[in-house]
Amino acid sequence: MGEKTRLYMEDWLYNSGLVGFYNVLKHAENDVVIKQNYIEFESDALVGFEKKYFNYFIDKYKDTLSLNKIISFEKFILHHEENNFENFNEKSLEFTNKYISDVAKKQIKSNSYKSAYELIESPVDILGLEKNLKTINLKKKQEIRDILPEIKDIFDLMKQVIKYMKLEESRKYIGAKNAMYSVIKNGWNGVCFLNPQTKEKDMYIDYKCYFIDPTIEYLNTDKSKFKYSCFSCNRKMKDFSNDLSFLNSTGFDVSRKSSHVWDFQNDIAVCPICKLVYSCVPAGISYLYDKGIYINDNSSMRNAIAINNKIHMGIYRQKDEDKKLTYKALVESINEEYNDKIKYELADIQLVRYEDGKYRFNILSKNSLKVIKDSEDDLNKLINCGFKEINTYFNVYELVIDRLLNSQNMFTLIQKMLHYKLSQPRDSYYHTFHITRILRINIRFLKGVGCMKGVYKDIVKEGNDAGEKLREKYRSKGSVDKLSGISYRLLNSLKTNNVDSFMDTLLNCYMYVKSSVPEIFLDTLKDEDKFKTIGYAFVAGLIEGRKENNTDNENGGKDNE
Amino acid sequence: MRYNVELILSNENIPKDKNRIIISLLKHIYESYDKDYYVSLYENEENKSKSFAFSLYMPNCEFTREEIIIPNKKIILNFATADMRDGILFYNAALANKGKPYKVKDNSITINRINMNKEKIITNDYAVYSSMSPVVVREHKGDNEKTWYHSLNEEKGKEIFIENIKYQLLDSFGEERRLDIEEVDFQVLINKEVKVKHYGIEILSNICMIKVQAKPYILDYIYKSGIGSKRNSGFGMLDLV
């Protein structure tokens, strides 16, 4: 032992594994040497790697693990006990009940917890405690004071539960179970401790047997007589037993679907070292619930580690309300990188996202990075905007970034948003000034790709103002209700790029209110992108007009223009 | 884009050279609304070809030797253009001058109402037009001495007419549409020769119904911008039949 092993950077998935491998070792305070395109570690580091592995996840994903949700209730209990339940009101009771039914009872009874109890050596009968946990209902004519004894009983019970959960063993096993099902599962599945039929109940031992022991054994054997070579790192290996099908949306079942390889002879297999690295993929990619993000900065190992850790920190530093956004962290790290004066360091780097069980790829182009950077303000305003489509909630911020990363313009998104604003205002959580913000971002994007040359005046504002003014005129004629029909027609013309019908409708409107057509529309005739930009800005103004009361915008904060 | 504008006269007789008055009115409203636009239309370039055509409708009028008598003092000015920008500017300019009398000769004109007319969409590769104002076939070789006006009843007139159309189309669509433009053909269905007084001379022109075969976009362009010569001076405006 004591030998050094080098692991070189390869494709993105392997790189994410390397970053994860590094993270795990670093977290356990092992020495790892980072060089330009490889990391080097001593074989000793593999001793007890399974503990380091789970510790990393339990610590890094602390906030999302359900174990911690249970424990976090302790603060609440202590607070009320200290104050002798003086502030305990109906709201607190509601909170307690919600906690008991949604968190405590639900989790304690869940299968993953049950299987962990078997591993924990403790005389406490946790399931028995769970049976006694009951929500407390305030009957009519009863006051909080009357049920205080009951509450105190429940709190005592809860304290026992929490005490159990805070045991070192509980943290070790329940935490590991949590990490397995909420984090690790996003990276790989179906083998080792994630195999539902696994024989070994203790995931630590399971991991050790499945990943680490073969690696150590492999490192110590003489490889000179091996015939085959690893698909990933080209090290010599004995046979093709380690395939890649355990990784999510990678690899395939070699025995059942051999048609994927040439001549039906599988040659895709990796050595135990690579397999161990691949098992660290979940530690490299930053996950937030079922979404993940990884930036494959493969120019240098150091950068790859730095940027991905930055993103991980970014995600978990966010305030609770916008925790849904993996992109927010990305944008923040991009902006930080910009400030670090290494402006173009990030350009042309692969961005990998894990969503809905699939990997998606983008290249961070110089242009989109610049647009994202320049649009920081506008983007921040969009964080809380969203709309519901059937039963799915879409966040506008993510949609916009998605489009920027894919180098798509926003017109179809704006079309959709305006349409929803008209047809189902209940499910569209944004104002039309958010749409003008998107239009501005879009102009920046279009300018970046070489369109909209020579646009210096603020056509979005002018278009929007024209819409607002026309709305005012309709209002003074008492026919505001006509506007939604008109807006539909205008939107249709914009969607189909039909300048003629747009202008026809527009002229009819202006004739109706007997006023002249604003000059800004003469600009629309020259250029398709201008036409759409001005047109959409106009419709946005037409639909909503000037904000009647500034205080009432819970979605998206104040628009300070 | 087509509009009809109601003009109110203060006097019931106007000179026979009526187009001249309308051109004067157009220049006046453009100049007062947007000087730059006026200059670009009428001053920057001599004999600039413009994209609009107009015609006049005078209900119950009576033609005398020198004058036209309009008993209800009302003229409907029909205005059509293929260019959106010109259309909008015409509307804005007319609106800006609404209700303001414009003195001309011994009369004055006031714009009263502006309406937009719905345009029909052409989807076939032929269309039948009837003239709303007389169609002029002019043989013009850059020399006023040799200018000659033809009738659509004659073969020579038809030849020159098609030549003029192709020249007009090529000018506005450009060389890349040459193949489509070469294919344009027409037949005269009904024709009546008339003589119109225009800037002091009598111009031979044709009140006619013609059928044109061409690609729909060309037909649409002809429908909107008129046909023949002197389109911007009250000739050659068309309507679909």
Side-chain angles (χ1 to χ4, degrees):
Chain A
M1 295 295 267
E3 243 177 272
K4 284 188 174 179
T5 310
R6 277 183 190 183
L7 300 171
Y8 287 89
M9 295 182 95
E10 306 268 345
D11 58 298
W12 70 271
L13 190 61
Y14 191 79
N15 289 348
S16 70
L18 274 187
V19 172
F21 186 72
Y22 171 84
N23 283 342
V24 171
L25 289 181
K26 198 75 203 164
H27 189 70
E29 292 174 349
N30 281 102
D31 281 332
V32 187
V33 180
I34 312 172
K35 284 281 158 59
Q36 182 61 29
N37 65 342
Y38 64 87
I39 55 173
E40 203 172 53
F41 68 99
E42 286 186 31
S43 318
D44 295 345
L46 291 179
V47 179
F49 188 80
E50 68 277 9
K51 279 202 187 93
K52 302 170 190 169
Y53 186 75
F54 282 108
N55 265 337
Y56 175 80
F57 289 111
I58 295 170
D59 286 347
K60 282 280 172 165
Y61 288 91
K62 189 163 66 204
D63 294 350
T64 53
L65 300 185
S66 59
L67 179 68
N68 286 298
K69 275 189 196 143
I70 298 181
I71 295 175
S72 68
F73 195 67
E74 195 180 25
K75 270 188 202 157
F76 184 80
I77 298 177
L78 288 177
H79 171 77
H80 282 291
E81 282 185 345
E82 264 172 38
N83 296 331
N84 226 352
F85 292 90
E86 271 166 18
N87 304 327
F88 200 89
N89 52 20
E90 280 174 35
K91 253 197 182 153
S92 323
L93 180 67
E94 205 179 296
F95 179 78
T96 312
N97 282 338
K98 203 169 171 325
Y99 167 79
I100 289 173
S101 60
D102 289 2
V103 183
K105 282 180 89 80
K106 192 176 150 200
Q107 297 296 352
I108 294 171
K109 269 194 301 189
S110 70
N111 287 335
S112 71
Y113 275 65
K114 276 186 189 161
S115 59
Y117 300 146
E118 297 165 18
L119 301 165
I120 301 169
E121 284 172 29
S122 164
V124 183
D125 175 22
I126 186 83
L127 288 168
L129 289 175
E130 185 269 334
K131 284 211 178 86
N132 295 331
L133 265 185
K134 277 181 187 118
T135 53
I136 309 162
N137 293 321
L138 197 59
K139 292 192 191 93
K140 271 181 193 169
K141 290 179 194 162
Q142 263 188 334
E143 279 183 38
I144 295 284
R145 239 180 311 129
D146 305 329
I147 54 165
L148 264 187
E150 280 179 62
I151 293 170
K152 279 180 185 159
D153 285 350
I154 288 292
F155 274 19
D156 283 338
L157 256 172
M158 269 321 298
K159 275 201 278 185
Q160 289 180 49
V161 171
I162 288 169
K163 197 180 161 204
Y164 179 85
M165 294 299 171
K166 281 175 97 174
L167 289 176
E168 186 56 35
E169 291 266 285
S170 305
R171 184 190 123 92
K172 182 175 168 188
Y173 289 108
I174 299 178
K177 279 274 174 192
N178 285 170
M180 273 162 58
Y181 293 118
S182 64
V183 185
I184 301 173
K185 217 178 169 188
N186 290 323
W188 53 270
N189 207 347
V191 295
C192 188
F193 52 75
L194 281 169
N195 180 357
Q197 272 112 38
T198 181
K199 291 191 184 76
E200 180 54 62
K201 292 259 158 50
D202 188 327
M203 56 293 234
Y204 288 81
I205 299 172
D206 208 355
Y207 186 80
K208 183 169 182 287
C209 296
Y210 194 85
F211 289 107
I212 302 165
D213 290 349
T215 312
I216 295 175
E217 193 195 317
Y218 175 80
L219 283 174
N220 293 333
T221 43
D222 174 21
K223 287 168 274 271
S224 59
K225 284 195 181 141
F226 289 168
K227 274 200 268 180
Y228 307 108
S229 50
C230 170
F231 188 73
S232 180
C233 64
N234 220 21
R235 284 192 181 87
K236 288 281 171 209
M237 59 181 190
K238 198 162 119 198
D239 51 28
F240 284 140
S241 58
N242 292 322
D243 62 61
L244 290 171
S245 55
F246 71 107
L247 293 163
N248 282 354
S249 38
T250 314
F252 53 93
D253 189 333
V254 192
S255 52
R256 278 187 228 156
K257 188 71 179 160
S258 49
S259 61
H260 279 323
V261 279
W262 185 75
D263 208 16
F264 296 81
Q265 294 289 316
N266 179 49
D267 60 347
I268 299 173
V270 290
C271 63
I273 301 179
C274 291
K275 192 158 189 170
L276 176 69
V277 170
Y278 277 124
S279 82
C280 295
V281 164
I285 300 177
S286 312
Y287 293 102
L288 187 65
Y289 304 113
D290 52 351
K291 281 183 182 172
I293 199 163
Y294 177 75
I295 294 183
N296 185 22
D297 187 345
N298 53 5
S299 58
S300 94
M301 195 66 220
R302 199 174 293 278
N303 281 353
I305 292 167
I307 183 79
N308 284 296
N309 283 342
K310 219 174 242 178
I311 285 191
H312 186 94
M313 299 213 329
I315 291 176
Y316 287 94
R317 194 176 47 207
Q318 285 169 26
K319 283 179 235 129
D320 283 340
E321 62 255 37
D322 46 57
K323 265 235 170 107
K324 285 166 286 184
L325 303 166
T326 42
Y327 276 150
K328 180 84 172 71
L330 172 71
V331 170
E332 268 172 16
S333 351
I334 287 174
N335 286 337
E336 252 172 59
E337 293 290 297
Y338 255 80
N339 297 339
D340 292 350
K341 284 183 192 162
I342 38 174
K343 268 186 193 178
Y344 298 110
E345 204 89 313
L346 269 177
D348 301 325
I349 283 173
Q350 197 177 26
L351 167 71
V352 186
R353 288 173 301 133
Y354 181 74
E355 261 175 45
D356 312 325
K358 283 178 205 133
Y359 288 110
R360 291 162 202 269
F361 302 89
N362 292 112
I363 298 285
L364 293 171
S365 69
K366 234 177 236 184
N367 178 28
S368 46
L369 285 173
K370 188 167 164 8
V371 175
I372 289 174
K373 166 72 187 145
D374 291 348
S375 308
E376 202 181 346
D377 253 14
D378 289 330
L379 282 169
N380 281 339
K381 288 284 186 297
L382 299 174
I383 289 173
N384 292 324
C385 301
F387 55 84
K388 232 161 92 184
E389 213 168 54
I390 312 176
N391 279 323
T392 324
Y393 175 85
F394 288 93
N395 182 289
V396 172
Y397 183 87
E398 305 234 313
L399 290 175
V400 169
I401 301 267
D402 211 23
R403 273 160 194 262
L404 282 178
L405 294 177
N406 286 329
S407 293
Q408 291 172 313
N409 69 38
M410 317 278 167
F411 288 131
T412 48
L413 174 69
I414 294 164
Q415 167 86 30
K416 189 184 251 175
M417 286 173 73
L418 284 171
H419 190 269
Y420 282 157
K421 192 81 202 162
L422 278 169
S423 57
Q424 45 190 61
R426 218 171 256 269
D427 288 339
S428 47
Y429 315 111
Y430 47 83
H431 287 284
T432 47
F433 61 77
H434 293 124
I435 291 171
T436 56
R437 296 232 171 228
I438 301 176
L439 279 167
R440 293 221 167 89
I441 297 171
N442 198 38
I443 287 184
R444 269 175 224 126
F445 165 75
L446 288 171
K447 279 190 175 165
V449 293
C451 304
M452 304 275 265
K453 287 260 163 62
V455 178
Y456 300 112
K457 53 183 174 185
D458 192 351
I459 54 175
V460 174
K461 188 168 174 7
E462 285 189 35
N464 198 41
D465 283 353
E468 284 170 1
K469 276 179 198 146
L470 188 66
R471 188 183 172 84
E472 269 315 299
K473 282 176 185 151
Y474 264 77
R475 190 199 302 285
S476 58
K477 286 195 84 159
S479 36
V480 170
D481 297 335
K482 288 185 179 178
L483 287 176
S484 63
I486 292 167
S487 307
Y488 275 122
R489 254 183 293 156
L490 290 175
L491 281 180
N492 261 336
S493 321
L494 285 166
K495 193 179 189 177
T496 52
N497 247 336
N498 191 339
V499 189
D500 285 0
S501 81
F502 182 85
M503 284 297 164
D504 253 14
T505 317
L506 191 81
L507 262 174
N508 262 328
C509 293
Y510 278 102
M511 277 184 172
Y512 179 74
V513 296
K514 297 203 175 60
S515 65
S516 58
V517 180
E519 233 168 86
I520 181 83
F521 289 106
L522 298 176
D523 287 354
T524 60
L525 303 167
K526 291 171 206 151
D527 175 332
E528 197 176 284
D529 294 322
K530 266 194 205 168
F531 163 63
K532 290 203 149 190
T533 307
I534 298 171
Y536 281 123
F538 176 74
V539 177
L542 203 60
I543 289 176
E544 211 168 56
R546 227 168 276 282
K547 273 170 279 125
E548 273 92 31
N549 41 354
N550 233 335
T551 48
D552 176 38
N553 53 2
E554 72 276 24
N555 309 314
K558 274 219 163 121
D559 183 47
N560 6 318
E561 275 184 313
Chain B
M1 275 175 156
R2 354 199 98 206
Y3 301 93
N4 64 63
V5 183
E6 196 179 84
L7 306 174
I8 305 285
L9 302 170
S10 63
N11 227 328
E12 63 180 25
N13 38 355
I14 57 162
K16 239 183 168 171
D17 208 346
K18 58 187 183 343
N19 288 337
R20 209 168 163 171
I21 296 169
I22 299 302
I23 292 167
S24 166
L25 175 76
L26 282 180
K27 284 184 176 178
H28 165 69
I29 63 167
Y30 283 143
E31 192 175 10
S32 69
Y33 175 72
D34 186 344
K35 183 92 183 170
D36 292 341
Y37 181 61
Y38 166 78
V39 170
S40 77
L41 274 186
Y42 290 102
E43 287 189 0
N44 273 354
E45 197 182 325
E46 213 173 316
N47 300 331
K48 176 182 158 62
S49 85
K50 298 172 247 323
S51 69
F52 60 82
F54 67 86
S55 73
L56 299 175
Y57 173 61
M58 296 163 286
N60 308 321
C61 66
E62 204 182 304
F63 284 75
T64 63
R65 199 174 158 72
E66 286 302 321
E67 287 178 322
I68 304 168
I69 299 165
I70 307 162
N72 47 6
K73 300 186 200 168
K74 213 187 248 177
I75 302 178
I76 306 289
L77 165 68
N78 291 303
F79 181 94
T81 175
D83 185 27
M84 240 0 133
R85 186 180 149 81
D86 287 332
I88 291 172
L89 283 164
F90 172 77
Y91 167 74
N92 282 353
L95 193 78
N97 283 284
K98 204 172 122 175
K100 293 178 192 161
Y102 174 60
K103 284 217 182 313
V104 60
K105 281 254 163 151
D106 314 320
N107 212 332
S108 80
I109 307 176
T110 316
I111 295 174
N112 185 33
R113 257 185 325 115
I114 309 154
N115 288 324
M116 195 162 78
N117 298 357
K118 214 169 165 55
E119 287 177 315
K120 291 171 198 148
I121 295 164
I122 300 171
T123 45
N124 284 336
D125 54 359
Y126 70 90
V128 180
Y129 302 105
S130 72
S131 60
M132 293 176 81
S133 50
V135 175
V136 174
V137 184
R138 180 174 64 159
E139 190 180 2
H140 182 69
K141 300 247 166 68
D143 182 356
N144 284 341
E145 297 281 304
K146 285 180 193 153
T147 296
W148 194 257
Y149 296 96
H150 293 272
S151 159
L152 276 179
N153 289 339
E154 299 160 18
E155 278 310 307
K156 175 84 176 158
K158 286 178 187 168
E159 242 170 64
I160 293 181
F161 184 58
I162 194 81
E163 222 170 81
N164 285 351
I165 292 177
K166 285 176 181 168
Y167 178 78
Q168 176 197 347
L169 293 174
L170 216 52
D171 199 37
S172 61
F173 288 112
E175 197 60 38
E176 70 259 41
R177 291 275 182 252
R178 180 177 278 282
L179 288 175
D180 285 349
I181 290 165
E182 290 299 329
E183 280 177 0
V184 176
D185 200 7
F186 82 106
Q187 290 97 39
V188 179
L189 302 179
I190 307 168
N191 186 29
K192 190 179 132 197
E193 284 177 27
V194 287
K195 286 196 170 127
V196 182
K197 193 163 182 189
H198 187 67
Y199 283 85
I201 58 165
E202 301 258 317
I203 292 179
L204 174 72
S205 53
N206 308 273
I207 292 177
C208 58
M209 191 184 270
I210 55 173
K211 184 178 176 184
V212 180
Q213 286 93 14
K215 290 267 153 61
Y217 74 93
I218 293 179
L219 294 173
D220 189 63
Y221 175 78
I222 292 174
Y223 170 48
K224 285 169 178 167
S225 62
I227 204 164
S229 311
K230 293 196 174 291
R231 291 186 306 279
N232 316 131
S233 325
F235 291 96
M237 181 170 169
L238 298 175
D239 197 9
L240 275 177
V241 177

